[in-house]
Amino acid sequence: MSEYDECTDALVDRTVLTELQAELGGDHSIISSFVRNYVELLPWRVGRLHRALERQDIEDAMDAVLSLKTSSHMVGAICMNRLATELEISIRLLPNGVHLDRLAAQVHEIENFVSGTIQELETPLQPN
């Protein structure tokens, strides 16, 4: 079993959005907008990671992975959050950002879960 296999069970923890909706007084439109923004930016964020690695730009790579990790956490995209966390650790372990291109496989692994994450998030959250 690969370290990524658990991502196929649940890409999104819906309770995160349900709890956020409850905190916002049950306003479904805010949650919908929040999720829509995440979904629209997700492919761009992953593309930004690819570009940063190709350019060997450790600052941009770190900024991109932290953006992906934080936004994924906020919408309950648990698999994306975990994979971004693992990539962040890998980036931090590289001495002076040398050989960032060696992390391309991790970005490709993240890319494998983009469409599934989007699909799960686009499934409407039931209003309270």
Side-chain angles (χ1 to χ4, degrees):
M1 178 160 133
S2 137
E3 62 188 273
Y4 301 110
D5 285 346
E6 69 188 49
C7 284
T8 59
D9 293 337
L11 301 178
V12 176
D13 179 357
R14 304 293 289 195
T15 61
V16 171
L17 294 174
T18 303
E19 290 171 1
L20 184 57
Q21 184 174 333
E23 288 177 25
L24 296 172
D27 191 341
H28 183 69
S29 64
I30 294 173
I31 298 302
S32 294
S33 176
F34 186 63
V35 169
R36 190 172 39 256
N37 288 336
Y38 174 83
V39 164
E40 288 173 3
L41 289 173
L42 183 55
W44 178 82
R45 285 184 171 114
V46 175
R48 183 178 173 204
L49 278 170
H50 277 295
R51 290 184 300 277
L53 295 185
E54 288 168 2
R55 291 188 323 270
Q56 299 287 306
D57 186 338
I58 192 163
E59 287 86 15
D60 195 36
M62 186 58 73
D63 189 58
V65 78
L66 291 174
S67 172
L68 177 62
K69 181 177 94 168
T70 302
S71 62
S72 296
H73 175 75
M74 291 174 66
V75 298
I78 54 176
C79 179
M80 205 53 64
N81 178 48
R82 187 176 59 76
L83 293 172
T85 299
E86 290 171 4
L87 180 58
E88 175 194 2
I89 291 166
S90 295
I91 292 169
R92 290 184 189 280
L93 291 175
L94 287 175
N96 303 317
V98 176
H99 306 298
L100 268 177
D101 54 331
R102 291 182 184 171
L103 304 180
Q106 283 183 269
V107 178
H108 287 296
E109 194 64 40
I110 289 170
E111 204 166 41
N112 289 336
F113 293 99
V114 168
S115 64
T117 300
I118 289 172
Q119 185 176 358
E120 281 193 34
L121 284 168
E122 286 181 333
T123 302
L125 183 65
Q126 299 303 314
N128 290 339

